[in-house]
Each structure stands twice: as C-alpha cells, then as structure tokens.
C-alpha cells in the first residue's frame, strides 16, 4: 500500500509502513523507519503529514497501471504510454 515517486531513493534497511507515499526525488536514508505511513518528501526524507483521501485514491488507482505497463516488457514488446 505504498507509492514510490519517480527518482526516489530508498537506502538499505529503511522501513515504510502501510499507506506511505514517497515523493519524487525523495531520499529515505539508511535504516530510517516511517512505520505509520504518510507523505514523505525531501532529501533526506521527512514526514510532511498524513495521507489525504486523494493520496490514498492515487495509491489504489496506480498499482494496477504499473502491473499492466510491466507485462509487455517481459515479452520484449515496445509500448507507448500516454
């Protein structure tokens, strides 16, 4: 139940709780734990606040899309997104 933004970096031994959104380009540092979820931003990442209903809807809607995007690549196909 997490969404990791593009270009975000999660270093070794970090822990994310359920319903965590990591902003694009954020850096979750070594052994850092965010167990209660929320919106993480920055470098190093800090907890900006709890997720809103909009954030949770984004997580729920996005993961099936990424599954669909990956399937053609496994078969060596080239796809256009957009």
């Amino acid at each position: 139940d997490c969404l990791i933004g593009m270009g975000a970096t999660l270093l070794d031994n970090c822990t994310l709780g359920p319903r965590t959104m990591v902003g694009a380009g954020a850096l979750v540092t070594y052994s850092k734990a965010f167990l209660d979820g929320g919106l993480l931003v920055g470098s190093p990442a800090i907890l900006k606040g709890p997720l809103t209903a909009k954030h949770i809807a984004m997580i729920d809607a996005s993961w099936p899309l990424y599954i669909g995007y990956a399937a053609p690549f496994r078969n060596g196909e080239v796809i256009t997104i957009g």
Side-chain angles (χ1 to χ4, degrees):
D1 290 341
C2 296
L3 180 64
I4 311 301
M6 289 190 229
T9 303
L10 284 68
L11 297 182
D12 293 342
N13 300 321
C14 69
T15 305
L16 302 179
R19 298 291 188 192
T20 301
M21 183 178 284
V22 180
L27 171 64
V28 181
T29 54
Y30 177 81
S31 291
K32 189 70 176 179
F34 295 96
L35 302 178
D36 295 328
L39 176 61
L40 307 179
V41 296
S43 180
I46 60 168
L47 180 62
K48 190 71 170 178
L51 295 186
T52 65
K54 184 176 179 180
H55 293 132
I56 293 169
M58 286 173 60
I59 292 172
D60 291 341
S62 65
W63 71 264
L65 297 174
Y66 286 101
I67 299 290
Y69 294 153
F73 289 101
R74 279 192 223 108
N75 300 324
E77 299 174 34
V78 176
I79 64 168
T80 302
I81 300 171

